[in-house]
């Protein structure tokens, strides 16, 4: 901290109730009233340096008493600032620092203590001290900038605010990544990547402090208006890496965003505290760097959670959804559990659907070959070397592979998310199925997690009718269920009988092929099992059957039997009788369980199906 002392006399003001005076042998002839306090002073030392006091004394009427009274209304800084200026006029020692220089500078400007009145006046001395000493120090610059808030208009007019911001920005831009330069404030455990929303938050230490900008936490002491202007100056400099800007925003959000909890009884829009938090949140969102991975997906989702609760502007929420969609594969299930702003459901599924749509748009694979150009551009393209063409093809394949991998990760994430929201008794079936169907078929390498989510939903919604149970199970692919899940599904009384038959059929066929008990399976069943084995190696976009292009009744049939020319007509007849079988499914469930309990014995039903198929083939 830098100090400056002006004057040499040790005299000071003496207090007597609300009257203050200077110890002097000469009687006072001037009374100055500032903020309810009266000062008994002398005209000569004050008028010689204060142009405003000269003008006020000349304009005020003569008084019969020996004191001329001057009132200074709305004096910047109040009595403390006035005493500092008065002491300077009397030659009494004053001490200046980063804490009081702004108030002193505004007060001296108010009194017009300029060089036009006297050389070496207080305005000149304060400007020299501010520019040469205060703004050269990192800590002093931040303190001075903070102290401009009570004198917002004065500081703006005098250029103090802009000079402080420029000084801070120049120090950061000179070395934005250097560590351990900040010692002005103690670290208080804000090395975390979360914002406490909905009542509580996670807090963990980040031992890799070397990855942070040394300036991030010091700047977090600023109010949002000054912080926003400072960050804009840093970003416009073009020298601060995007990840450091993102880290600084995370530190600031962790410090200033309160514990936002959903309270239906309070009007979020009319609450002043929420309005202030909303402004702060939207300012942080506007400062987010454009570069991908400049901030974590977890931090973006926590911002979106706060924006949902605080009812931030639609543009802010849309921007967050777009950015989250770019890096959705980094998210976790707890991050996606965003409370709903209404009382209809526990979690906001619509915002996750929007994010998923953004992810699908952002993760589209680029074309594997460049667009053919014409004219001289075509000739230029042909003249390029073969190495450049190979490089572009490799880059395209690498990007396509990354997109495919990210979709597989997101598919797993969505299925786990479905398991969490399926417990909500108010969750509509349409939203559950819409979210499940938003994932492309190739992205789900298995359907075990999806089955668990469907099972949880059926248990949490026991009043679903038969049509609704069929609707939710239509998204399930029985060929992609593991042995353990198949055993559970075959005994699940909540599933439609058609699904149970499909599960048993595929499991029996798989067991027969693995055990070599049946060597004459129909060719379409063999192809079906072979396609299942190759599912994980199939590249994206090579799916031969589009679910949306299949007729609803065919979606319930085995994909290997979808052709009208299928020879397994017996199974089709069994599945067509689903309406009658479903009514007696509860009574016959024990038989299904017995069927599943004997995995090594050939199932009589499937033996009849395969024998029927063989006899039909022989006739043909």
């Amino acid at each position: 901290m830098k100090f400056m002392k002006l004057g040499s006399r040790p005299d000071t003001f003496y207090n007597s109730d609300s009257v203050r005076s200077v110890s002097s042998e000469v009687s006072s002839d001037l009374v100055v009233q500032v903020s309810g306090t009266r000062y008994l002073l002398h005209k000569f030392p004050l008028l010689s340096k204060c142009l405003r006091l000269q003008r006020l004394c000349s304009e005020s009427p003569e008084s019969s008493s020996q004191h001329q009274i001057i009132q200074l209304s709305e004096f910047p800084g109040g009595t403390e600032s006035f005493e500092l200026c008065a002491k300077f006029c009397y030659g009494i020692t004053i001490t200046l620092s980063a804490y009081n220089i702004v108030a002193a500078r505004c007060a001296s400007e108010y009194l017009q203590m300029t060089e036009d009145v006297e050389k070496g006046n207080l305005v000149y001395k304060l400007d020299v001290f501010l520019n040469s000493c205060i703004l050269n120090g990192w800590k002093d610059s931040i303190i001075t900038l903070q102290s401009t808030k009570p004198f917002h208009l004065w500081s703006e007019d005098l250029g103090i605010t802009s000079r402080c911001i420029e000084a801070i920005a120049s120090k950061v831009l000179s070395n934005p990544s250097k560590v351990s330069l900040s010692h002005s404030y103690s670290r208080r455990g804000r090395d975390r990547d979360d914002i406490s929303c909905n009542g509580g938050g996670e807090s963990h230490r980040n031992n890799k402090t070397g990855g942070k900008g040394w300036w991030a936490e010091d700047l977090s002491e600023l109010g949002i208006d000054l912080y926003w202007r400072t960050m804009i100056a840093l970003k416009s400099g073009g020298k601060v890496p995007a990840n450091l800007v993102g880290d600084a925003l995370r530190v600031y959000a962790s410090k200033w965003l309160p514990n936002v909890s959903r309270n239906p009884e309070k009007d979020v829009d009319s609450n002043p505290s929420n309005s202030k938090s909303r402004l702060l949140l939207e300012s942080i969102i506007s400062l987010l760097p454009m570069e991908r991975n400049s901030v974590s997906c977890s931090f973006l989702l926590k911002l979106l959670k706060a924006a949902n609760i605080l009812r931030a502007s639609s543009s802010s929420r849309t921007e967050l959804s777009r950015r989250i969609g770019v890096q959705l594969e980094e998210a976790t299930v707890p991050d996606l559990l965003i409370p709903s702003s209404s009382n209809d459901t526990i979690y906001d599924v619509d915002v996750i659907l929007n994010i998923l749509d953004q992810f699908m748009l952002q993760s589209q694979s680029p074309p594997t070959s460049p667009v053919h150009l014409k004219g001289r551009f075509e000739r230029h393209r042909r003249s390029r070397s073969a190495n450049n063409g190979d490089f572009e093809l490799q880059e395209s394949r690498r990007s396509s592979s990354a997109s495919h991998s990210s979709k597989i990760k997101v598919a797993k994430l969505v299925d786990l998310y479905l398991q969490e929201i399926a417990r909500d008794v108010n969750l509509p079936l349409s939203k559950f199925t819409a979210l499940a169907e938003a994932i492309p078929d190739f992205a789900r390498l298995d359907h075990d997690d999806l089955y668990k989510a469907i099972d949880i939903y059926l248990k949490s919604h026991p009043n679903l009718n038969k049509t609704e149970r069929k609707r939710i199970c239509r998204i399930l692919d029985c060929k992609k269920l593991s042995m353990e899940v198949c055993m559970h599904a075959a005994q699940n009384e909540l599933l439609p009988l058609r699904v149970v038959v499909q599960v048993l059929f595929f499991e029996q066929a798989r067991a027969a092929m693995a055990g070599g008990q049946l060597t004459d399976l129909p060719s379409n069943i063999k192809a079906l099992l072979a396609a299942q084995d190759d599912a994980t190696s199939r590249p994206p976009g090579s799916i031969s059957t589009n679910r949306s292009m299949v007729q609803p009744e065919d979606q319930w049939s085995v994909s290997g039997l979808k052709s009208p020319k299928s020879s397994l007509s017996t199974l089709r007849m069994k599945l067509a009788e689903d309406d009658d079988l479903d009514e007696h499914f509860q009574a016959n469930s024990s038989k299904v369980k017995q069927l599943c309990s004997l995995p090594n014995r050939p199932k009589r039903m499937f033996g009849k199906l395969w024998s029927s198929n063989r006899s039909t083939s022989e006739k043909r």
Side-chain angles (χ1 to χ4, degrees), residues 168-183:
I168 293 172
S170 64
K171 292 174 178 58
V172 175
L173 294 174
S174 62
N175 201 340
S177 302
K178 190 173 182 180
V179 186
S180 301
L181 290 182
S182 178
H183 55 272

Side-chain angles (χ1 to χ4, degrees), residues 165-337:
I165 292 175
E166 291 173 3
I168 293 172
S170 64
K171 292 174 178 58
V172 175
L173 294 174
S174 62
N175 201 340
S177 302
K178 190 173 182 180
V179 186
S180 301
L181 290 182
S182 178
H183 55 272
S184 57
Y185 299 99
S186 60
R187 307 290 178 185
R188 289 185 290 271
R190 290 197 293 272
D191 296 334
R192 56 187 180 181
D193 192 28
D194 72 290
I195 304 170
S196 296
C197 299
N198 199 23
E202 309 165 5
S203 178
H204 62 274
R205 290 274 183 172
N206 181 4
N207 295 324
K208 299 180 180 180
T209 56
K212 295 183 185 300
W214 57 271
W215 42 272
E217 188 160 344
D218 288 345
L219 291 187
S220 68
E221 301 292 334
L222 298 173
I224 185 58
D225 51 346
L226 297 176
Y227 182 82
W228 189 88
R229 292 176 60 181
T230 304
M231 293 301 296
I232 289 295
L234 292 179
K235 294 175 66 176
S236 62
K239 295 183 180 180
V240 181
N243 65 310
L244 293 185
V245 175
D247 180 77
L249 295 175
R250 179 187 57 79
V251 171
Y252 191 84
S254 299
K255 176 179 175 62
W256 290 103
L257 276 181
N259 294 336
V260 183
S261 60
R262 183 178 56 168
N263 190 348
E265 299 179 357
K266 290 186 178 181
D267 188 353
V268 178
D269 295 326
S270 61
N271 192 332
S273 176
N274 288 336
S275 299
K276 183 178 179 181
S277 299
R278 187 187 306 115
L279 174 62
L280 187 147
L281 176 64
E282 293 176 353
S283 299
I284 293 176
I285 295 173
S286 67
L287 290 171
L288 290 172
M290 298 301 297
E291 293 79 358
R292 177 174 177 170
N293 295 326
S294 57
V295 292
S296 67
C297 186
S298 177
F299 175 61
L300 291 174
L301 280 163
K302 288 177 173 64
L303 288 179
L304 182 59
K305 184 184 298 184
N308 217 35
I309 296 173
L310 294 172
R311 298 179 186 175
S313 64
S314 59
S315 59
S316 297
R317 283 182 283 184
T318 301
E319 174 63 15
L320 285 175
S321 299
R322 185 192 66 80
R323 294 178 63 91
I324 294 170
V326 174
Q327 48 194 103
L328 182 58
E329 68 272 14
E330 304 170 10
T332 61
V333 174
D335 295 332
L336 298 179
L337 299 179

Side-chain angles (χ1 to χ4, degrees), residues 25-264:
E25 297 178 356
V26 181
S27 59
S28 60
D29 57 357
L30 180 64
V31 176
V32 180
Q33 293 184 352
V34 178
S35 301
T37 301
R38 300 179 66 194
Y39 290 90
L40 301 180
L41 304 173
H42 304 82
K43 291 183 179 180
F44 173 72
L46 292 175
L47 300 186
S48 63
K49 291 182 172 61
C50 303
L51 184 60
R52 179 181 285 267
L53 291 181
Q54 293 180 18
R55 180 173 55 81
L56 291 176
C57 287
S58 63
E59 294 176 354
S60 63
E62 293 291 338
S63 175
S64 57
S65 64
Q66 62 178 355
H67 295 97
Q68 189 171 3
I69 301 176
I70 300 297
Q71 292 186 356
L72 300 179
S73 60
E74 299 181 356
F75 192 88
T79 57
E80 294 182 2
S81 299
F82 177 78
E83 287 185 14
L84 189 146
C85 295
K87 288 178 181 179
F88 176 79
C89 295
Y90 278 93
I92 300 175
T93 302
I94 61 175
T95 301
L96 297 171
S97 67
Y99 290 99
N100 65 355
I101 190 171
V102 175
R105 179 64 180 86
C106 295
S108 63
E109 187 70 23
Y110 180 89
L111 294 175
Q112 299 178 2
M113 303 175 69
T114 62
E115 293 295 285
D116 296 336
V117 182
E118 183 179 87
K119 295 296 183 181
N121 213 342
L122 185 56
V123 170
Y124 170 77
K125 292 183 179 296
L126 292 178
D127 283 340
V128 171
F129 180 59
L130 176 65
N131 295 328
S132 61
C133 297
I134 294 295
L135 297 183
N136 282 336
W138 168 254
K139 177 181 177 181
D140 291 336
S141 299
I142 294 178
I143 295 174
T144 304
L145 182 59
Q146 287 178 295
S147 64
T148 61
K149 190 171 183 179
F151 316 101
H152 172 67
L153 296 179
W154 282 96
S155 300
E156 292 292 344
D157 293 339
L158 297 176
I160 300 176
T161 304
S162 59
R163 279 185 283 174
C164 290
I165 292 175
E166 291 173 3
I168 293 172
S170 64
K171 292 174 178 58
V172 175
L173 294 174
S174 62
N175 201 340
S177 302
K178 190 173 182 180
V179 186
S180 301
L181 290 182
S182 178
H183 55 272
S184 57
Y185 299 99
S186 60
R187 307 290 178 185
R188 289 185 290 271
R190 290 197 293 272
D191 296 334
R192 56 187 180 181
D193 192 28
D194 72 290
I195 304 170
S196 296
C197 299
N198 199 23
E202 309 165 5
S203 178
H204 62 274
R205 290 274 183 172
N206 181 4
N207 295 324
K208 299 180 180 180
T209 56
K212 295 183 185 300
W214 57 271
W215 42 272
E217 188 160 344
D218 288 345
L219 291 187
S220 68
E221 301 292 334
L222 298 173
I224 185 58
D225 51 346
L226 297 176
Y227 182 82
W228 189 88
R229 292 176 60 181
T230 304
M231 293 301 296
I232 289 295
L234 292 179
K235 294 175 66 176
S236 62
K239 295 183 180 180
V240 181
N243 65 310
L244 293 185
V245 175
D247 180 77
L249 295 175
R250 179 187 57 79
V251 171
Y252 191 84
S254 299
K255 176 179 175 62
W256 290 103
L257 276 181
N259 294 336
V260 183
S261 60
R262 183 178 56 168
N263 190 348

